[in-house]
Amino acid sequence: MVDLRDRLNHDHPSRPCYGRSNMRGLHVFITDVRSAQNKEEEEAKVNKEMAKIRKKFKEAKQIDGYARKKYVSKLMYIYMLGYEIDFGYMEAVTLLSATKFSEKLTGYLAMAVLLHENHEMLPLVIQSLQNDLQSRNDFHQSLALCAIANIGSKEMSESLSPIVQKLLIAKATKPTIKKKAALCLLRLYRKFPESVSPDSWSDKILLLLDEPDLGSLTAIMGLLLGMATDSPKAFESSTNKVILLLSKIVLNREYSKDYVYYNIANPWLQVKLLRFLSLYDPPTDSNLKGKLQEVLKRILSSSDTAKGQTINHKNALNCVLFEAIALVVAMDDDRDLIRNAATLLAKFVSPKEHSNIRYLALAALSEVASLDSETRNLVTKHQETVLQALRDVDISIRKRALDLLYGMCDKSTAKTIVSELLNYLASADFAIKEELVLKIAILAEKYAADYSWYVDVIFQLISLAGDFVTDDIWYRVVQIVTNHEDIQEHAAKLVLNALKNPECHEIGVKVGGYILGEFGHLIADNPAYGPRVQFEELHKRFHNISNVGKCILLSTYVKFVNIYPDIAHLIKPIFHTYSTSIDAETQQRAFEYSRITTGSDDLMQTILDAMPQFSERAQGGAERNDLLEDVEPTSRNVSVASPQTSGPSTSNSISQLLDINPNPQPSAFPPNSQPSTVNPFGQMPQQQPSNLSQGNFGGVPQNAGVQAIPAIGQVGSFGNNNREPFSEQTKKNSIISEGVCYQDENIQIGFKSEYSNGLGRMMLYYGNTSGFQLTNFRTTVVSVPFLNVNAQPVGPVIEPRTQLQQLLTMISSLGDFNSFPSLEVAFVVNGRNVQFSVKLPVILSKFVEPLNIQGGDFFVQWKQLESNGPHNVQQVVKSSKPVDISSISKVLNTGLRFTLLTNVDPNLNNIVGTGNYATSTSKSPFLFRIESNPDHQMYRISVRSGNPHVASGVTRLLEAYLS
Amino acid sequence: MTFHFVLLLSRQGKTRLTKWYSTFTPKEKQRMIREVGSMVLNRSPKLCNFLEYKDYKIIARRYASLYFIMCVDKNDNELLTLEITHHYVKILDRYFGNVCELDLIFNFHKAYYILDELMIAGELQETSEKTVLRLIATQDALQENPGDGGKPGTI
């Protein structure tokens, strides 16, 4: 066979390339565009053609099918070149209902290229799709199924899913249609799971698996796998059949030869079957279990047959092989098989193999190593080869090798692996360094036999790749040194020596500052490490580091003043100088410290007592896991509890207040878990640091003492509690029916909602984005006076990268509209309890129905309502944006579902509208009028309704969206 | 096991075909084509065909002057995806008879509908080369037959 990889040259010498295009006009146009010498010329040609087509579409009343097809094809080509086309969509859609196949086909192709799931034209094609689906013409059915499968939306799902399901199970359906229907259904299921109930499909799928046609079977397995991944339980009954199918293909070699791909029987189907089984525990039935084992053994032993074959044969063989290995590891019930797999994989890692195979083998070995210590040992034997892969030319392979080394590391190998990784770090490229540093730090801590080794490693990290050492890493060193007396002296010497190196990184200075401040006195008796030496080594760097670093050093200095009175005279002037620093934080510290050091000695000694140990809880669980979490690049912005926030939560000692803040950073803790704020200088209201920086603290030193607390507390990541009643986010979410209402590093909460007749349904989607399992997951809905909410129970666990759904049903009633229903979410991620509350975007207007009143009647009703005093609200609003009546109208009408009446108020700057707030039993109409004053960006809102709650609720909404 | 998109790029980085199975905004699409394109085009052919990109995996292979790029889920079977590319190229080659890049430029619509016979909804649909070619041939015949309007067609 000719090697295809040499095919697909740009041109083919032996054949003038007219292709088989049966549209001459299109061919001529493409040739013309391609002859353009530069982008400008191309653009001119495209614009000219577009103008021509636009004119044709506009002028010709009866444009014939062929011409339409030709023009639509040209537009497709133009669109593919990257130009926006703003017309022609309608023409493409018209082609869908053509009777001539070639025109219909063009319509479908254009639709696939030009439209997408959320395109505004999509609702217009549903009817055509339905007609074609139900036609008796196989080709038309195929086209429709294909289109739905590729761009299907939720709306399509609702109306077309039943037809597709019927097609799929009907006996008369041909294989070509059946396979399309299966995948089409999968798309509809993914877009709108409610349209397909997995439970009802478990039996139907079982029947479909008897399909003799291997092409259809592959597609059906695609559907099964897609649905089973979401709800494995419902499809467990299919496992038996799947095992039998596998053994039929692998052991009995029963298959049509049309489905043999480079001598391998339908590798795609085999992989799907194996992948499906990996969702379940190993079969309990001994007969089936034996069969499956035999299949796996056969696959694992087949790799030798690949010698001398084409690359495609090897790939097809190996993709089945790797899938089988993944299944062996996932089931983990046959150690012999795992050993076989590990031996095989180790062979694949060798540099003699193709890089694809090495990549996959490294990834698979990580899985093997992750099972337990026995399997880890299987992998450790090949450490040398893996270390070699760490120096491969290919970044993809290096990344896999790093992952594997990280995964296979244990107590016995940690020292070797870490030192190899440190060696590699020196020469590693930028793309991998950050991950590498973090992994080394974690391994060093996790497997440290003694902590002095750990500290050594971290210092090597700082000196080799200081830029990549995150704050979390150095906070952790500080904690560990503080909590382990035996290494404090060692650490102090180490940092001082590091500081003597002129290239010491800023992170090194920060750690050095902190450690010398706390433990420098342990080595101070040695003349080579005396107080003065310590101070001078630090102060050499003072001018070249960031303000954050300066602050840390200032804290160190104040500790020096306390323990080494003989160098106090060197330090006090520094405090004095920096009391006028331009940086608020530095200034404040310097000022505080200069006051402390000139005050009474007793007070100073109490304040500057040694730091207490960090609490065990924080140390053992949360902290380190936070660091681990950082391995996932997606959670890079996780704020890790740093030394300053992890002090014992009961502590209210004064020293905490001054010492704990080497770096004011947003903390991961909710504000109320801060150490209680005891002000060492007496009763003072807590002030934000910004007030201080404005220079208003002359002679008011008291404020300064509590600075640290609000600085930490002001930016909790769970700040929802303090949110404005109507935040921008809620405002935005309240006028759309689907969106995202909460997102952080652990979880994303999306919602989809629909409302009618005083009833509402909201589907909440909880997506786990943390990379860890979320356990103990529970939610509570806190309702509000105007709403009766019923929430479906939601499961206790969310696996990484998966989603849970929860359906809320709501019934509206009359009541106070001033609050939002909220959702309390609580879960445990990686040992940490997380709890927060989210406002649900449910507002009065969701239950509003249109109310059409003719111009004259409006004033009659308006007058009628006037007499009812309190139900008649007026409010003036100042807007932050210029008055834009058309965009406001849009928000009010499409967003808030209010009915706008034109021709009532002659003044175009005013808006008059109505609505009908519906509960399941009653309707409360309301009328409103908005008068705008564009010059002053002001609005006057008047609302009248028979119900006082509705009147004030509507006013509040208008106020919120106008301001 | 899902494809998010299929992308054909020329060696100069010109887009020859894009097929999106997941929904992205036009801006996201442009950005992804740009980012993935530069990753793939700058890679030496000796390296492995797999690349990690965001939460996806990119499987790319060069055939003479064209790069075939597939974006799949991170946990998808990489080699299998790679062979789907080959399967597609094989079918194109059979169909056009010694296919070249210009065939795909002038007959972009055919490249699309051949792809549609191969995979839909981001999933592999038909793995038999013979079946795909037979279906395409019937459709071609149907297109060229001027009187294809009335009677119900069968495959």
PDB file of all heavy atoms in Angstrom, chain A residues 773-796:
ATOM      1  N   GLN A 773     -12.476  14.969  44.239  1.00  0.00           N
ATOM      2  CA  GLN A 773     -13.861  14.602  44.484  1.00  0.00           C
ATOM      3  C   GLN A 773     -14.481  15.596  45.466  1.00  0.00           C
ATOM      4  O   GLN A 773     -13.830  15.994  46.424  1.00  0.00           O
ATOM      5  CB  GLN A 773     -13.841  13.218  45.106  1.00  0.00           C
ATOM      6  CG  GLN A 773     -15.024  12.388  44.767  1.00  0.00           C
ATOM      7  CD  GLN A 773     -14.953  11.059  45.472  1.00  0.00           C
ATOM      8  OE1 GLN A 773     -14.461  10.950  46.585  1.00  0.00           O
ATOM      9  NE2 GLN A 773     -15.453  10.032  44.826  1.00  0.00           N
ATOM     10  N   LEU A 774     -15.694  16.001  45.201  1.00  0.00           N
ATOM     11  CA  LEU A 774     -16.407  16.803  46.194  1.00  0.00           C
ATOM     12  C   LEU A 774     -17.313  15.846  46.955  1.00  0.00           C
ATOM     13  O   LEU A 774     -18.178  15.204  46.368  1.00  0.00           O
ATOM     14  CB  LEU A 774     -17.244  17.888  45.522  1.00  0.00           C
ATOM     15  CG  LEU A 774     -16.524  18.874  44.605  1.00  0.00           C
ATOM     16  CD1 LEU A 774     -17.491  19.952  44.126  1.00  0.00           C
ATOM     17  CD2 LEU A 774     -15.342  19.507  45.293  1.00  0.00           C
ATOM     18  N   THR A 775     -17.104  15.740  48.250  1.00  0.00           N
ATOM     19  CA  THR A 775     -17.932  14.819  49.015  1.00  0.00           C
ATOM     20  C   THR A 775     -18.818  15.610  49.951  1.00  0.00           C
ATOM     21  O   THR A 775     -18.649  16.820  50.105  1.00  0.00           O
ATOM     22  CB  THR A 775     -17.056  13.858  49.835  1.00  0.00           C
ATOM     23  OG1 THR A 775     -16.117  14.637  50.564  1.00  0.00           O
ATOM     24  CG2 THR A 775     -16.320  12.901  48.942  1.00  0.00           C
ATOM     25  N   ASN A 776     -19.750  14.860  50.602  1.00  0.00           N
ATOM     26  CA  ASN A 776     -20.699  15.500  51.515  1.00  0.00           C
ATOM     27  C   ASN A 776     -21.398  16.666  50.858  1.00  0.00           C
ATOM     28  O   ASN A 776     -21.712  17.652  51.509  1.00  0.00           O
ATOM     29  CB  ASN A 776     -19.984  16.015  52.759  1.00  0.00           C
ATOM     30  CG  ASN A 776     -19.991  14.955  53.815  1.00  0.00           C
ATOM     31  OD1 ASN A 776     -20.487  13.854  53.576  1.00  0.00           O
ATOM     32  ND2 ASN A 776     -19.441  15.274  54.969  1.00  0.00           N
ATOM     33  N   PHE A 777     -21.600  16.559  49.564  1.00  0.00           N
ATOM     34  CA  PHE A 777     -22.150  17.700  48.835  1.00  0.00           C
ATOM     35  C   PHE A 777     -23.627  17.834  49.166  1.00  0.00           C
ATOM     36  O   PHE A 777     -24.395  16.883  49.029  1.00  0.00           O
ATOM     37  CB  PHE A 777     -21.962  17.480  47.344  1.00  0.00           C
ATOM     38  CG  PHE A 777     -22.388  18.654  46.533  1.00  0.00           C
ATOM     39  CD1 PHE A 777     -21.517  19.707  46.325  1.00  0.00           C
ATOM     40  CD2 PHE A 777     -23.665  18.730  46.010  1.00  0.00           C
ATOM     41  CE1 PHE A 777     -21.904  20.801  45.611  1.00  0.00           C
ATOM     42  CE2 PHE A 777     -24.055  19.821  45.288  1.00  0.00           C
ATOM     43  CZ  PHE A 777     -23.174  20.864  45.087  1.00  0.00           C
ATOM     44  N   ARG A 778     -24.030  18.963  49.662  1.00  0.00           N
ATOM     45  CA  ARG A 778     -25.446  19.163  49.940  1.00  0.00           C
ATOM     46  C   ARG A 778     -25.829  20.619  49.714  1.00  0.00           C
ATOM     47  O   ARG A 778     -24.991  21.509  49.822  1.00  0.00           O
ATOM     48  CB  ARG A 778     -25.801  18.708  51.353  1.00  0.00           C
ATOM     49  CG  ARG A 778     -24.992  19.396  52.401  1.00  0.00           C
ATOM     50  CD  ARG A 778     -25.101  18.710  53.746  1.00  0.00           C
ATOM     51  NE  ARG A 778     -24.437  19.572  54.719  1.00  0.00           N
ATOM     52  CZ  ARG A 778     -23.141  19.560  54.946  1.00  0.00           C
ATOM     53  NH1 ARG A 778     -22.379  18.714  54.318  1.00  0.00           N
ATOM     54  NH2 ARG A 778     -22.593  20.394  55.802  1.00  0.00           N
ATOM     55  N   THR A 779     -27.081  20.805  49.388  1.00  0.00           N
ATOM     56  CA  THR A 779     -27.537  22.163  49.139  1.00  0.00           C
ATOM     57  C   THR A 779     -28.862  22.379  49.851  1.00  0.00           C
ATOM     58  O   THR A 779     -29.629  21.440  50.054  1.00  0.00           O
ATOM     59  CB  THR A 779     -27.774  22.410  47.646  1.00  0.00           C
ATOM     60  OG1 THR A 779     -28.831  21.552  47.227  1.00  0.00           O
ATOM     61  CG2 THR A 779     -26.543  22.109  46.822  1.00  0.00           C
ATOM     62  N   THR A 780     -29.093  23.582  50.241  1.00  0.00           N
ATOM     63  CA  THR A 780     -30.378  23.946  50.822  1.00  0.00           C
ATOM     64  C   THR A 780     -30.838  25.213  50.122  1.00  0.00           C
ATOM     65  O   THR A 780     -30.032  26.102  49.891  1.00  0.00           O
ATOM     66  CB  THR A 780     -30.237  24.301  52.318  1.00  0.00           C
ATOM     67  OG1 THR A 780     -29.132  23.591  52.831  1.00  0.00           O
ATOM     68  CG2 THR A 780     -31.484  23.984  53.070  1.00  0.00           C
ATOM     69  N   VAL A 781     -32.101  25.253  49.808  1.00  0.00           N
ATOM     70  CA  VAL A 781     -32.618  26.474  49.203  1.00  0.00           C
ATOM     71  C   VAL A 781     -33.354  27.273  50.269  1.00  0.00           C
ATOM     72  O   VAL A 781     -34.210  26.747  50.967  1.00  0.00           O
ATOM     73  CB  VAL A 781     -33.554  26.150  48.036  1.00  0.00           C
ATOM     74  CG1 VAL A 781     -34.129  27.429  47.462  1.00  0.00           C
ATOM     75  CG2 VAL A 781     -32.810  25.374  46.976  1.00  0.00           C
ATOM     76  N   VAL A 782     -32.970  28.520  50.407  1.00  0.00           N
ATOM     77  CA  VAL A 782     -33.647  29.382  51.356  1.00  0.00           C
ATOM     78  C   VAL A 782     -34.632  30.222  50.564  1.00  0.00           C
ATOM     79  O   VAL A 782     -34.241  30.996  49.702  1.00  0.00           O
ATOM     80  CB  VAL A 782     -32.634  30.285  52.076  1.00  0.00           C
ATOM     81  CG1 VAL A 782     -33.360  31.153  53.092  1.00  0.00           C
ATOM     82  CG2 VAL A 782     -31.569  29.448  52.736  1.00  0.00           C
ATOM     83  N   SER A 783     -35.881  30.025  50.828  1.00  0.00           N
ATOM     84  CA  SER A 783     -36.890  30.672  49.994  1.00  0.00           C
ATOM     85  C   SER A 783     -37.196  32.085  50.475  1.00  0.00           C
ATOM     86  O   SER A 783     -36.654  32.548  51.474  1.00  0.00           O
ATOM     87  CB  SER A 783     -38.144  29.828  49.973  1.00  0.00           C
ATOM     88  OG  SER A 783     -38.996  30.324  48.970  1.00  0.00           O
ATOM     89  N   VAL A 784     -38.045  32.756  49.741  1.00  0.00           N
ATOM     90  CA  VAL A 784     -38.410  34.135  50.054  1.00  0.00           C
ATOM     91  C   VAL A 784     -39.926  34.245  50.057  1.00  0.00           C
ATOM     92  O   VAL A 784     -40.606  33.342  49.559  1.00  0.00           O
ATOM     93  CB  VAL A 784     -37.801  35.088  49.008  1.00  0.00           C
ATOM     94  CG1 VAL A 784     -36.327  35.256  49.253  1.00  0.00           C
ATOM     95  CG2 VAL A 784     -38.057  34.593  47.616  1.00  0.00           C
ATOM     96  N   PRO A 785     -40.466  35.343  50.598  1.00  0.00           N
ATOM     97  CA  PRO A 785     -41.911  35.426  50.770  1.00  0.00           C
ATOM     98  C   PRO A 785     -42.729  35.193  49.501  1.00  0.00           C
ATOM     99  O   PRO A 785     -43.819  34.646  49.569  1.00  0.00           O
ATOM    100  CB  PRO A 785     -42.118  36.853  51.277  1.00  0.00           C
ATOM    101  CG  PRO A 785     -40.821  37.223  51.922  1.00  0.00           C
ATOM    102  CD  PRO A 785     -39.765  36.477  51.194  1.00  0.00           C
ATOM    103  N   PHE A 786     -42.199  35.581  48.333  1.00  0.00           N
ATOM    104  CA  PHE A 786     -43.050  35.472  47.145  1.00  0.00           C
ATOM    105  C   PHE A 786     -42.915  34.143  46.424  1.00  0.00           C
ATOM    106  O   PHE A 786     -43.413  33.966  45.330  1.00  0.00           O
ATOM    107  CB  PHE A 786     -42.801  36.636  46.186  1.00  0.00           C
ATOM    108  CG  PHE A 786     -41.472  36.581  45.459  1.00  0.00           C
ATOM    109  CD1 PHE A 786     -41.367  35.997  44.202  1.00  0.00           C
ATOM    110  CD2 PHE A 786     -40.340  37.133  46.025  1.00  0.00           C
ATOM    111  CE1 PHE A 786     -40.167  35.963  43.530  1.00  0.00           C
ATOM    112  CE2 PHE A 786     -39.140  37.103  45.355  1.00  0.00           C
ATOM    113  CZ  PHE A 786     -39.050  36.518  44.120  1.00  0.00           C
ATOM    114  N   LEU A 787     -42.238  33.206  47.075  1.00  0.00           N
ATOM    115  CA  LEU A 787     -41.909  32.004  46.327  1.00  0.00           C
ATOM    116  C   LEU A 787     -42.045  30.773  47.210  1.00  0.00           C
ATOM    117  O   LEU A 787     -41.737  30.815  48.393  1.00  0.00           O
ATOM    118  CB  LEU A 787     -40.460  32.127  45.871  1.00  0.00           C
ATOM    119  CG  LEU A 787     -40.078  31.537  44.538  1.00  0.00           C
ATOM    120  CD1 LEU A 787     -40.969  32.114  43.454  1.00  0.00           C
ATOM    121  CD2 LEU A 787     -38.628  31.863  44.256  1.00  0.00           C
ATOM    122  N   ASN A 788     -42.511  29.708  46.602  1.00  0.00           N
ATOM    123  CA  ASN A 788     -42.513  28.435  47.301  1.00  0.00           C
ATOM    124  C   ASN A 788     -41.605  27.508  46.493  1.00  0.00           C
ATOM    125  O   ASN A 788     -41.907  27.168  45.357  1.00  0.00           O
ATOM    126  CB  ASN A 788     -43.958  27.931  47.322  1.00  0.00           C
ATOM    127  CG  ASN A 788     -44.080  26.726  48.196  1.00  0.00           C
ATOM    128  OD1 ASN A 788     -43.072  26.133  48.578  1.00  0.00           O
ATOM    129  ND2 ASN A 788     -45.310  26.358  48.513  1.00  0.00           N
ATOM    130  N   VAL A 789     -40.463  27.147  47.049  1.00  0.00           N
ATOM    131  CA  VAL A 789     -39.481  26.404  46.264  1.00  0.00           C
ATOM    132  C   VAL A 789     -39.385  24.974  46.757  1.00  0.00           C
ATOM    133  O   VAL A 789     -39.365  24.715  47.950  1.00  0.00           O
ATOM    134  CB  VAL A 789     -38.085  27.040  46.381  1.00  0.00           C
ATOM    135  CG1 VAL A 789     -37.116  26.332  45.449  1.00  0.00           C
ATOM    136  CG2 VAL A 789     -38.146  28.506  46.061  1.00  0.00           C
ATOM    137  N   ASN A 790     -39.328  24.090  45.800  1.00  0.00           N
ATOM    138  CA  ASN A 790     -39.158  22.691  46.139  1.00  0.00           C
ATOM    139  C   ASN A 790     -37.909  22.193  45.413  1.00  0.00           C
ATOM    140  O   ASN A 790     -37.809  22.297  44.199  1.00  0.00           O
ATOM    141  CB  ASN A 790     -40.400  21.932  45.670  1.00  0.00           C
ATOM    142  CG  ASN A 790     -40.431  20.555  46.272  1.00  0.00           C
ATOM    143  OD1 ASN A 790     -39.475  20.155  46.944  1.00  0.00           O
ATOM    144  ND2 ASN A 790     -41.501  19.828  46.021  1.00  0.00           N
ATOM    145  N   ALA A 791     -36.958  21.654  46.152  1.00  0.00           N
ATOM    146  CA  ALA A 791     -35.717  21.228  45.517  1.00  0.00           C
ATOM    147  C   ALA A 791     -35.603  19.721  45.534  1.00  0.00           C
ATOM    148  O   ALA A 791     -35.859  19.084  46.544  1.00  0.00           O
ATOM    149  CB  ALA A 791     -34.527  21.839  46.235  1.00  0.00           C
ATOM    150  N   GLN A 792     -35.227  19.187  44.391  1.00  0.00           N
ATOM    151  CA  GLN A 792     -34.940  17.761  44.276  1.00  0.00           C
ATOM    152  C   GLN A 792     -33.720  17.457  45.137  1.00  0.00           C
ATOM    153  O   GLN A 792     -32.823  18.277  45.206  1.00  0.00           O
ATOM    154  CB  GLN A 792     -34.538  17.518  42.829  1.00  0.00           C
ATOM    155  CG  GLN A 792     -35.125  16.336  42.185  1.00  0.00           C
ATOM    156  CD  GLN A 792     -34.578  16.254  40.765  1.00  0.00           C
ATOM    157  OE1 GLN A 792     -33.467  16.702  40.484  1.00  0.00           O
ATOM    158  NE2 GLN A 792     -35.356  15.685  39.892  1.00  0.00           N
ATOM    159  N   PRO A 793     -33.668  16.282  45.755  1.00  0.00           N
ATOM    160  CA  PRO A 793     -32.431  15.969  46.497  1.00  0.00           C
ATOM    161  C   PRO A 793     -31.252  15.851  45.524  1.00  0.00           C
ATOM    162  O   PRO A 793     -31.441  15.494  44.351  1.00  0.00           O
ATOM    163  CB  PRO A 793     -32.727  14.622  47.150  1.00  0.00           C
ATOM    164  CG  PRO A 793     -33.941  14.099  46.480  1.00  0.00           C
ATOM    165  CD  PRO A 793     -34.675  15.233  45.871  1.00  0.00           C
ATOM    166  N   VAL A 794     -30.068  16.140  45.992  1.00  0.00           N
ATOM    167  CA  VAL A 794     -28.913  16.060  45.111  1.00  0.00           C
ATOM    168  C   VAL A 794     -27.811  15.274  45.808  1.00  0.00           C
ATOM    169  O   VAL A 794     -27.615  15.393  47.018  1.00  0.00           O
ATOM    170  CB  VAL A 794     -28.485  17.471  44.656  1.00  0.00           C
ATOM    171  CG1 VAL A 794     -28.008  18.298  45.802  1.00  0.00           C
ATOM    172  CG2 VAL A 794     -27.436  17.399  43.564  1.00  0.00           C
ATOM    173  N   GLY A 795     -27.164  14.429  45.015  1.00  0.00           N
ATOM    174  CA  GLY A 795     -26.295  13.378  45.533  1.00  0.00           C
ATOM    175  C   GLY A 795     -25.099  13.851  46.329  1.00  0.00           C
ATOM    176  O   GLY A 795     -24.680  14.958  46.143  1.00  0.00           O
ATOM    177  N   PRO A 796     -24.549  13.027  47.183  1.00  0.00           N
ATOM    178  CA  PRO A 796     -23.515  13.506  48.100  1.00  0.00           C
ATOM    179  C   PRO A 796     -22.131  13.651  47.465  1.00  0.00           C
ATOM    180  O   PRO A 796     -21.260  14.250  48.064  1.00  0.00           O
ATOM    181  CB  PRO A 796     -23.490  12.437  49.190  1.00  0.00           C
ATOM    182  CG  PRO A 796     -23.975  11.202  48.511  1.00  0.00           C
ATOM    183  CD  PRO A 796     -24.884  11.618  47.420  1.00  0.00           C
TER     184      PRO A 796
END
